[in-house]
Amino acid sequence: MPLSNFSDFYSVEKLYYSNDFDTSHIINLYKKNLIDNNFGDLSHLLNTIDKVIKFGDIITIKEFILQIPKKGGNLSDVIDFLNRYPALENSKNLLIDSIAIINNELEFKKGLDSLLIKELLWMSERDQYVRSNDSLFKRYNSFIDSSNFSLLLDLIKLNNNKLPEYHKIGSEASTCLNSLLMHMSIQNLSYIFPFIIKAIRDNGFYDNTNILYQIDRNHIGNDSIFRFNKSTLKLYPFFKE
C-alpha cells in the first residue's frame, strides 16, 4: 500500500474536525481509506467508528464493526465497544452477525506469526520490568536496551528483512514493538529507521507519530540534533547552530 494512505487518512481527519463536510462524502472517504485500502490498526478503526456512530448510518456502522476482527479484535471486543452505546446496542436495526465476526477473527489469526508475537511480548515484558524499578534500571538498562536491539535485528532478519508487520503480530505485540522502539537510543533507532520507513510505506506500521516524538525528545539537552537522509533512510547527527 502506498505511503499516501497516511496523508489520505489525516486529510479526512482534518476535514472531520473542520465541521465543514457532507456526511455521505466523509463516510465514503473513511470507508475508502480504512476498508478498501485496509489502512490503520485497531485504534484507527475504533476511533473512526466513534465518529461514524454520530452520523447514525446503521448500514455503515455494521460494515465498520465487521472490520474489528480483521484488525485483531474479537467478538468480546465488539460487544464491549457496543456497550458504550446503549441506544445503539438496543437498536432493532443493528443486528451484528456474530458468525461473520468469528470467521473474520479466525481469518486474521491465520496470518499471525506466533514466534514473532511471543518474542516481542517477552522483550517488552523484561524492558518494562527493568524500567519499573530505579535500582534495576540503573544496573541493567544498558544491557536490556542493547540486547533488545540485537534481538529486534534478528527478528527483522528472520522476517525477510522487514520490521514485523501489524498483520503478522496483531494489536498487542504491535504495542510492544512500539514501546521497544520508543525506548531505544537515537543511535539504535537510526539503524532501525530504514525498516520503519519501509513498513510505513507497506502499510505495516502505524506508530509513526510516536517515533517522531522519540526523535524529538532526544534533541532536548543534546549538543546535536538529527536529520533524515533520504538516500540511506537513516538519521544522522549534526551540531546545532
Side-chain angles (χ1 to χ4, degrees), residues 10-22 26 30:
Y10 290 122
S11 67
V12 183
E13 289 283 89
K14 183 178 180 180
L15 179 61
Y16 174 83
Y17 287 107
S18 74
N19 292 316
D20 183 22
F21 57 82
D22 175 76
I26 200 166
Y30 275 126

Side-chain angles (χ1 to χ4, degrees), residues 157-219:
K157 185 177 181 180
L158 181 67
N159 191 43
N160 298 317
N161 286 320
K162 295 179 181 179
L163 193 75
E165 305 97 327
Y166 186 89
H167 66 271
K168 284 188 177 182
I169 61 178
S171 180
E172 185 180 6
S174 288
T175 300
C176 291
L177 173 59
N178 181 47
S179 177
L180 292 169
L181 293 172
M182 286 286 287
H183 292 158
M184 279 188 182
S185 68
I186 192 70
Q187 291 78 17
N188 288 345
L189 186 60
S190 174
Y191 196 88
I192 300 287
F193 214 64
F195 302 106
I196 296 174
I197 295 295
K198 189 174 190 311
I200 290 173
R201 289 174 174 170
D202 292 343
N203 200 34
F205 183 81
Y206 306 107
D207 291 303
N208 52 323
T209 53
N210 287 331
I211 296 301
L212 291 175
Y213 167 74
Q214 169 66 349
I215 295 169
D216 200 37
R217 78 174 184 175
N218 266 276
H219 293 165

Side-chain angles (χ1 to χ4, degrees), residues 54 61-62 67-68 150 153 185 199 218:
K54 297 173 185 176
I61 292 169
K62 290 170 68 173
Q67 301 299 309
I68 290 177
S150 298
L153 288 179
S185 68
N218 266 276

